[in-house]
Amino acid sequence: MKKLLFLAVALTIYSGLSAQNSNEIPYVETSASASREVTPDEIFVRIVLSENDTKGKISIDELQKNMFQAIKKAGINFEKSLAIDNIESQYQTYLLRKSDGRTTKTFQLMVNGEQLAPLFTALDQAGISNVSIQSARYSKVAALRDELRVEAAKAARERAQMLAQAVGQEIGKAILIQNYDNDSGVVYNNIMLARASVKMADGVVEESAPSVEFKKIKIESRVTIRFALPQ
């Protein structure tokens, strides 16, 4: 029993010394970041069709048909990018939401930046005004983050090498690498939608197509690396 107790104590002391020696390895630690600003290329638009908006003059089926035509007119393939926004909307055509029996349907449409202005114009001309932008994102954010991590890691290594050489040393292998990302690649509520009025030669004032501008998304990656200093 005494032998086993002595062995356990010896192992504990040895483990403590190993950890202490590991912590005493000289090192240089540097951090670097890399970032890039990108324009969102996937924009999610919410379209609400409601018979209430037309005071029951146009049925939900007719509104849906008008929406399909407007989306097609804007040059968008709605079969691939249009979806029912929620499960409840699928049944609202058949259920009475109010005593007058008017119904509502909600859709989500994904478009790119070039398609957005024509879409708003076409829907407006079709009498569909309950349209809003839910969110926007950059679809290639994962690949971009990988590129930025590599750039940041290279910059951190160059900085560590410079500091080591300043004191007459060379860096060794990396003994710690940490990475931080400060964004999701998704942006909300930063859309500016403006419609300008243009005065024609005959004095008639017409409204131009909506001008939509997105605030760019800043994708950033920060890397901290600890390099051993060989003795």
Side-chain angles (χ1 to χ4, degrees):
M1 183 68 181
K2 291 183 179 180
K3 290 183 178 179
L4 290 175
L5 180 61
F6 175 78
L7 179 60
V9 173
L11 288 173
T12 302
I13 294 174
Y14 177 78
S15 297
L17 289 174
S18 298
Q20 183 178 2
N21 291 336
S22 176
N23 291 336
E24 291 177 354
I25 295 175
Y27 65 85
V28 57
E29 183 176 292
T30 58
S31 297
S33 62
S35 64
R36 200 167 302 165
E37 290 189 344
V38 294
T39 301
D41 59 356
E42 289 185 348
I43 302 145
F44 295 88
V45 179
R46 185 171 183 262
I47 305 173
V48 179
L49 306 180
S50 176
E51 292 182 6
N52 291 318
D53 294 338
T54 66
K55 298 181 180 181
K57 295 179 180 179
I58 303 177
S59 68
I60 194 71
D61 292 333
E62 188 67 22
L63 285 171
Q64 182 171 301
K65 181 180 178 181
N66 294 342
M67 179 192 67
F68 289 153
Q69 292 176 346
I71 295 173
K72 186 177 180 179
K73 182 179 179 181
I76 302 168
N77 185 350
F78 63 84
E79 294 181 355
K80 294 183 178 180
S81 54
L82 183 68
I84 296 289
D85 192 40
N86 52 59
I87 296 176
E88 181 184 3
S89 294
Q90 298 180 42
Y91 300 95
Q92 287 174 354
T93 302
Y94 309 99
L95 300 179
L96 300 183
R97 299 188 64 196
K98 295 183 179 180
S99 59
D100 58 9
R102 294 171 187 167
T103 54
T104 299
K105 254 189 173 181
T106 304
F107 295 86
Q108 184 187 72
L109 179 68
M110 187 184 75
V111 300
N112 58 43
E114 295 180 354
Q115 296 170 329
L116 192 57
L119 173 67
F120 272 80
T121 299
L123 289 174
D124 185 56
Q125 292 173 349
I128 301 171
S129 57
N130 196 343
V131 184
S132 59
I133 297 175
Q134 291 181 306
S135 64
R137 70 185 183 189
Y138 183 63
S139 61
K140 300 177 182 178
V141 65
L144 178 57
R145 280 204 190 102
D146 288 340
E147 294 179 14
L148 295 176
R149 287 167 186 155
V150 172
E151 290 180 17
K154 290 180 178 179
R157 188 184 188 284
E158 291 176 1
R159 190 170 299 171
Q161 183 69 14
M162 177 189 67
L163 293 174
Q165 291 177 347
V167 293
Q169 297 191 50
E170 295 289 333
I171 60 172
K173 65 179 182 179
I175 56 178
L176 174 69
I177 302 177
Q178 294 178 319
N179 170 244
Y180 309 93
D181 295 319
N182 66 347
D183 57 83
S184 64
V186 180
V187 62
Y188 296 88
N189 300 326
N190 71 340
I191 298 92
M192 296 184 297
L193 179 62
R195 187 185 293 274
S197 295
V198 180
K199 189 173 183 179
M200 310 299 290
D202 56 3
V204 177
V205 176
E206 292 186 358
E207 289 185 333
S208 64
S211 174
V212 183
E213 293 182 4
F214 278 90
K215 177 181 178 183
K216 289 189 176 182
I217 302 173
K218 184 177 182 181
I219 310 297
E220 183 174 11
S221 184
R222 185 174 184 82
V223 174
T224 296
I225 306 180
R226 182 179 297 177
F227 295 92
L229 291 175
Q231 296 178 326

